[in-house]
Structures are given as C-alpha cells and as structure tokens.
Amino acid sequence: MIEGEKLISINIEDEMKSSYIDYSMSVIVSRALPDVRDGLKPVHRRVLYGMYQLGLLSKNPYKKSARVVGEVLGKYHPHGDVSVYETMVRMAQKWSLRYPLIDGQGNFGSLDSDPPAAMRYTEVRMEKISEEMLLDIQKGTVEMQLNFDDSLEEPSILPTRIPNLLINGSSGIAVGMATNIPPHNLKETIQAICAYIESDNTLSVEEIIKYIKAPDFPTGGIIYGYDGVKNAFHTGRGRIVLRAKVHFEEIQGRKCIVVDEMPYQVNKSDMISKTVELIKEGKMDGIYQIRDESDRKGLRIVYILKQNANPNVLLNKLFQYTSLQTYFNVNTIALVNGKPVQLNIKDLIQNFVDHRHDVIIRRTKYELTRCQHRLHILKGFLKILNHLDTMIQLIKESKSRHEACERLIRKFNISENQSKSVLDLRLQSLTSLEREKIQKEYRDLESKREFYKKVLDQYSLRTEIIKQELLEINKKYQDSRRTQIDHSGREVHMEDLIENEQVVLTISHAGYIKRTSLSEYKRQGRGGIGNRGATAKESDFFKHLLIATNHQHLLLFTEKGKCFWLRVYDIPEGSKISRGRAIQNIINLQTDDRVNAYILTGDISDKKYVKDHYVVMVTQKGVIKKTSLEHYSRPRKYGINAIIIRKGDSLLEAFLTKGNSQVLIALNSGRIIRFSEKKVRPTGRNSSGVIGISSKNENMVIGMICVEEKCQGQLLVVSEKGFGKRSQLKDYRLTNRGGKGIKTLNITKKTGNLISIKSVTEQDDLMIIKKSGIMIRIPVSDIRIMGRTTQGVRLINLKEKDAIADVAKVYKPIMD
C-alpha cells in the first residue's frame, strides 16, 4: 500500500447491489429504452444529430457510412463502431422501420437477414421525414447536455414534429424489463392526436381506436383477430397475431398457395427452410415444391401443391407450423422523465402533445427574444434616420469608432447596441426606400411580438399550432395502411388442419374402429362379389359401417347404455385392408361392454342445434327412449349414462331426430311397427324408456329407422343370407307404439332372419359388408320394388357359412 493511502472495509453484498443497480439503470436509461417524447434511444438520437451536424440533409449528396460512424463515435457515442453502424442500417431498412429515418445507398441487407455491406462501401443521408425531428433544434427548443468528455454539447431529446414512437415503434431489452412497441400508420396517428387536442385532452382509448385502427407494420401482412390489439391499446400489453397475406393460384394445372406479404420481422429464408423440414417429417404431405420468386418488385413465395391436396387445410398447417403466422407481443415501456413506465395508447399521445407544448414554448421564447432585440435596434434606426445630417456630421467629427458611438448615445439617447448598429449601417440604408423597409420591418416585428406573447399566454393557441403543424406533416408524408385487419380471426384449431373430407367409418364385432377415405371404394353392379375390404380374424367381422365427414362429432352408445364422444378425425385412419384400432384404446370403455350404436352430430356447442334435436334409442327387447341432445352436449372423459338398461336387455340402436319423425322398429322375425315419435315423451338420461314393439319368445329387435312425417321414400330390408327388396313406406300403416307390428319379409330357411332395415331413395347407393370382411357397393335403383310380404331378390353372393354383417346406405353426390 502506498504511503498516505488507507483501506476502507465494505460489505461485498452491499457493493454488489449498489454496482448492479447503477449498471442496470445505465442500461435502462442510456441504451435499451426509448424516450417517450421523441421515441429514440441515445444511439439513434446521436446518429441523427451527427448527420445533421455533418449537413447530410435529404437534398445534399450522400456520404460514406464510415464518415458518419466516425463522427458519432468520436463526438457523442463512446461505444463500438458495430453498434452504431447496425443502428444506421436498421434505420435505413424499409422492412424494419415503417417510416425509415435514413436514406441509404448500397447494400443494406435483405428480408433473408443477409448482412449489409461494410460501412466503407455504403453511403447515407437523412430522409426528409427525419429532418422534421431536428427542425428548430437551433432555437433552444431542447435541453443540451455535455458529451462523454465534456468537450461538446448534444441534445438530450429531439424537438420532433412527428410522433416517432407511435409511427415507428421501438424494441429493446434492458435489465429486468423489455420494451416492444409496434409501429402505426402516420395518417391514423395524426388524426387521433388532432382529435385528442380537439377534445381538450379528454379523448378515451375507445375513441382513439376509432382513428388508430391497429398497428401498421412495414411488411404488411394481416392482423388476425382484434382482442390483442384492444388489450395493447388499453393496457400497453397485448399479444397480436400476425399472418402472411396469401392468395390461391393455378400454375400449369396445379393448385398453388402464393405468399405476397410476410409477417413483421420474419426471416424469409429460415421460414422456407423450416417448411422443407416439415415436408420431410411428413407434416406437410400436400406440398409438392416451394419456389422463392421474390425480386426487387416485391415478395412472392409459391407453394406448389400435390394433386388432390386441399389448399385451405395446407394453408392452416402452414399458419400452425411455420412463421407464416407469428405473434407480436406488445409491451409498451418507455422513459418518462427518465423513468421506465408502462404506457397505453392515450399515454403515448399525451406525452407527445406535452412535449410539443414544451418545444413551442421554448421556440416562442427564443423567437420573442430575437424579435425584441431586432425591434430595439430598429427603434434606434428610426430615431437617428430622422436626423441624418446631424448623425453624419457627428460621425465625421469623431476621431474614432468608440468616440462616435459614445457621442451618438449622448446625442440621441440610444443604447450602446443601437449605437453600434447605426455605425454598421450601409450608405444605401439612408435612402428613402430603405428607410420605408425599416419602418415596415418594425411594424411586422411588432405584430409578431404580440403574437408570440399570445402563444406564451394562451394554451389553446399552442394546441392549434401543434394541430396545424401535424396536419402539414400529414400532408407531406401520409400513406395508406399496409397491414390489413381480420376482426373475425381466431386461433387455429385441430379441425382447421384436417380436411373435412368424406370417410367410411367401420366398427368390427370385436370392437375395432377405423376411418378410410370414401374414395377408396369403387362402385359395382348387383350380384358382384365385392372388393377386399379388410383383413379380420376368423372370430371377428365388421358390424357397423358409417359414412361421415372428418369434422363431425361421433356419439358412441354401448350395449350397457353409456355414451362416449369422439371427433371423427380423432379416429385412427386405416386403409381398406387394415384392421383398425381397438375402441377401448381410444375411449374409456369397460372390458365387458361394447359399442352397439352411433350418432353423427353437427356442432354440439351450438345451443340452438342441441335444443332442436333429440336422441331416440331402442333396445333388443323393444324398449324405446327419447332424450334431448342437450343432455349429451358436454363431453366427459369417462362417458355418461345414456339410458338405464334393464336386466337381460341391451342397447341396440340410436338415431338423431328433430322431434317430429316417425319411428319404424323391426324384429328378426320379419315383423315391423310404425308409429309417431310424438308418442314417446322426452325423458332425462337416467331413465329406462317405454315399450316400442312387443317381442315374444326369441324374437329380437334388429333395427330402427326414423323418417320424416311426410316421407315418400322406400323401405329396404336385407336378410342374413343376402336377400333383400324395396317396398313403399306407405305400405306400412301408422299404429300406436307397443304393438306386434306387421310382416315386412317372408322369412324362410333360404333367406335367413331379417338383419337390416334402411330408408332409401333411387339416388342412394348400398354398401354391404360380409362377416368375412368382403364389401360390395351397389346402387339401390338396381333393387326392385316389391310387395311388403315377398321374399325379395339376392343382393350378394355368399360362400358357405358366410353371412351379412352390416348394411349402410351411401348418397351418390357424396360418394361420386
């Protein structure tokens, strides 16, 4: 230790806290956060002021960027040259700032995040709009502060006429906080500020939103949904969903998705690379090729699709998995009087207007001082010019300038400054014409002086000046909004990523389920042997077949009376020859229970839809029950009770109706009953129902259909040995429920028992599946209309010990 020095012990914890607080405040105030008044961080402010000092105005020639960087580093910003040059580059990029502040010449990077050329190769000058930020700075409009070595002065703020923080936004990461302010449209912003001024500063956020619709990003795109925008405007925080602007085209016979505008701050090349990876992973199977056709005229990315790919589904997948949809997390924090503050849209406008008031007051005081000084000089001129001969004689007789000055002061009772100004007059000022000019200037300055005093005294006059200056700015620089707003936007849901195509759902006797595209099934004529449908074990066969679309809800009803929910797209996909997946692996099904019935519904979250529909169920013993669909509109993981099943009975069938259908229930003995649905009173879920048809001995219900009251279609019946027929519905008279029914098919050993009934028309197709897994599709029009009590005709050829497992009807418009 050097002599005379002494050591002072301090607590290291206290020192660390103090040093870190000093460091964090330095980062917050001097680097990361913008000032609410001019919307600039210190480095941006110093770059613009340095260019202003160099005379790099918009009308002057460009100068090397290195010259500006050197000027800023040497005089104002004692940091690395890279930080200054990167700041300049961003201020010149049209895709980074909504209204660029620097006019750059040379390579300043690209949307692909290509690096700019070195500073020795590029040139810069100020944009016209950035000159508005420095206007009147020489008139004492802002406080000046010493630079880092106290050798020069620099402005602590710029006297900006443009609301830069609103129109260009800002982003930065400080210590313990960050800011992310979106840009807005200049025209909308100025309209809002003018309305705020006209309302005497009482304009609410909701009223401001009428003018500033939403942020306006330099790269355009679409704001998808409006909740995030409203939250950001009201609180200063919000999550804005941004989407690319796209359209569909057909190029060389292929459907294409074309991207015209990207979301803000998205790297185009990285986004394309990510999409290629997704294609390799199988998440974007429908994309055949990606082409980047962007050029100097604009952005254009073309996604060429595979044949039969659905453009809307693929577009939703692109939004879900790539940067074609991104988020802008608004966090409006700026420095107010040197302190970081969370601000909403009204706060930003208020602080800008207050800043403009302060600038106008300072500018007016400066102008008033100059005006009064000039009036003082002109007053001396006018005094002396009325006595020219005396003045000239007095000057001629003086031995020096100092003596002349003193003699003029004593003779005409003027000040020293007036006397010196008189001595500096040119001879031409003594002419009568010049004297009139001086008199006119004096009168003009007097009126200006009165105006300046009014400006300083009257708040309303200053607000009018602010408004007029803003309108001038608007006239010079306004442009159209680039970012569109989709108010109906919502989050991408799973159904948006899955094509709503028609599928065939099959459920086997052993409880295996799958969905297969309807296009895999081909049409055949009556009497064919069918296509191979699936490979099933000898002990299993396909029992249910259903035509559906991917976005529908499937209600599954078990023989024990429980109900489960599935979205069709949640059912595992399989080919025609695949077995499918066990239902108990998809839903929480008990080991001793099995699915016997199913219902396809629309949107079960639609209150009107569920109130207008009913579920009608029937058991093997002929018990029927009717319950409102509303009782089944709230899915539960473990299912719910749909009906109370009596001992020895099981649920067989379920239908969705509108409450005014007619019910037909058939027994395996070939008998059928028809009665109005209104004969069955609606009950809750926890009830067992009433008798629908009387069944004796071993007769069991094999099916139920529900038809409209005035339906003029036909009834199709199929026996287990492959016989079937059509008969007119009108042949079945309407009776009361609970009866024995009437004969619908002449049952013999050749035909076997009745196995299926369907309501059909000439336009339907019939899908028949054997227990062996063989399927056949035939048109209903190929089956003759016959009498109610006849045996029917052979529909499908069966091998020995084979039988019909299930029958479904298919509408031609859906199938073909």
Side-chain angles (χ1 to χ4, degrees), residues 128-146:
K128 183 69 176 173
I129 195 171
S130 60
E131 294 177 12
E132 306 287 350
M133 301 186 71
L134 289 143
L135 202 64
D136 300 329
I137 195 170
Q138 75 282 3
K139 296 181 179 180
T141 49
V142 293
E143 290 288 342
M144 302 296 285
Q145 62 188 16
L146 292 173

Side-chain angles (χ1 to χ4, degrees), residues 511-533:
Y512 286 83
I513 187 171
K514 69 175 181 179
R515 65 183 168 95
T516 308
S517 176
L518 195 58
S519 60
E520 289 197 31
Y521 296 94
K522 297 179 181 179
R523 209 170 160 189
Q524 294 184 1
R526 180 174 66 84
I529 62 172
N531 292 322
R532 189 68 185 169

Side-chain angles (χ1 to χ4, degrees), residues 554-555 563-566 587 604 632-636 639-640:
L554 180 68
L555 302 188
C563 175
F564 295 88
W565 291 261
L566 273 180
I587 60 176
I604 59 174
Y632 305 95
S633 61
R634 290 172 286 278
R636 295 180 191 170
I640 59 172

Side-chain angles (χ1 to χ4, degrees), residues 333-349:
I333 295 179
L335 296 175
V336 180
N337 297 324
K339 297 179 181 179
V341 180
Q342 186 93 47
L343 304 163
N344 63 17
I345 192 76
K346 182 178 179 179
D347 296 332
L348 294 176
I349 291 174

Side-chain angles (χ1 to χ4, degrees), residues 126 270 274 331 364 404 438 575 666 798:
M126 296 172 69
D270 287 352
K274 172 67 175 176
N331 189 19
T364 305
I438 291 172
S575 65
L798 297 173

